[in-house]
Amino acid sequence: MLRVFLRANMYAVLVIGLFLVLLPLAVISLVGLRPLSLPPGLVQIVPAFGLLLGMVGGSLSYACMTTFVIKGLGTAFPTDPPRKFVVLGPYRYVRNPMYIGNLSLATGVGLALSSGTYLMYTVGLAAVTHFYIVFSEEPQLMLRFGQAYLEYRRTTNRWLPKFDNR
């Protein structure tokens, strides 16, 4: 299990480094750093909120990754997926909590930096993520887990958490 946990952390660093550091820096270098135009009362509040949102999003994402390692016996990386179907923790309420965590982290970074460019990158990242999930990840989950995934998909929303007694 330690080996899987180390591999999962390596993948997390790779994904976060690529999608939340390197690619946004490339976009910023091409487009320029466009600051947010904030009213005077929000100048200090928005970055602080962004920092909080980023920490919550990062924590959610990391909790999901840990759940995949411990309960799913795999990682979130497509080449090393969980071997068991995971419907625990945040996955009880929404199908994509790790992506929600990552996008919250990215949005938090954009707000903390007061960067309109980073926030626009995050919007693009959200769109790409959605299409990846719909056209690649969900069909793969259907093939791997069949009826269990169909039932999960029927009862659990893709993006908006549903809090009921399960």
Side-chain angles (χ1 to χ4, degrees):
M1 176 143 359
L2 179 61
R3 177 179 256 164
V4 176
F5 189 73
L6 291 173
R7 218 172 31 244
N9 277 280
M10 180 187 69
Y11 293 147
V13 168
L14 176 71
V15 168
I16 297 299
L18 178 62
F19 291 107
L20 299 187
V21 178
L22 295 178
L23 285 176
L25 287 176
V27 169
I28 287 169
S29 72
L30 291 171
V31 175
L33 184 62
R34 307 251 194 275
L36 292 176
S37 298
L38 297 171
L42 295 179
V43 169
Q44 292 160 338
I45 295 171
V46 168
F49 175 74
L51 186 61
L52 179 64
L53 179 62
M55 290 188 313
V56 169
S59 297
L60 174 60
S61 183
Y62 198 78
C64 293
M65 183 198 73
T66 303
T67 301
F68 271 4
V69 171
I70 295 169
K71 299 296 184 181
L73 305 175
T75 71
F77 213 67
T79 59
D80 188 21
R83 292 188 286 282
K84 293 184 178 183
F85 189 52
V86 176
V87 187
L88 301 166
Y91 290 94
R92 288 179 55 211
Y93 307 105
V94 65
R95 292 197 317 251
N96 297 296
M98 187 178 303
Y99 290 116
I100 292 169
N102 288 341
L103 292 169
S104 296
L105 175 58
T107 302
V109 168
L111 292 173
L113 297 174
S114 295
S115 171
T117 305
Y118 198 103
L119 289 170
M120 289 310 297
Y121 168 81
T122 301
V123 169
L125 181 62
V128 169
T129 299
H130 176 75
F131 288 112
Y132 169 75
I133 288 168
V134 171
F135 295 111
S136 180
E137 190 170 90
E138 288 181 349
Q140 287 300 316
L141 289 168
M142 183 61 205
L143 288 173
R144 287 181 45 228
F145 298 111
Q147 190 60 41
Y149 181 70
L150 264 179
E151 178 63 19
Y152 179 61
R153 212 168 86 171
R154 188 183 68 72
T155 60
T156 310
N157 293 333
R158 182 183 286 137
W159 292 114
L160 298 175
K162 190 175 4 175
F163 299 100
D164 59 5
N165 296 331
R166 281 194 229 184

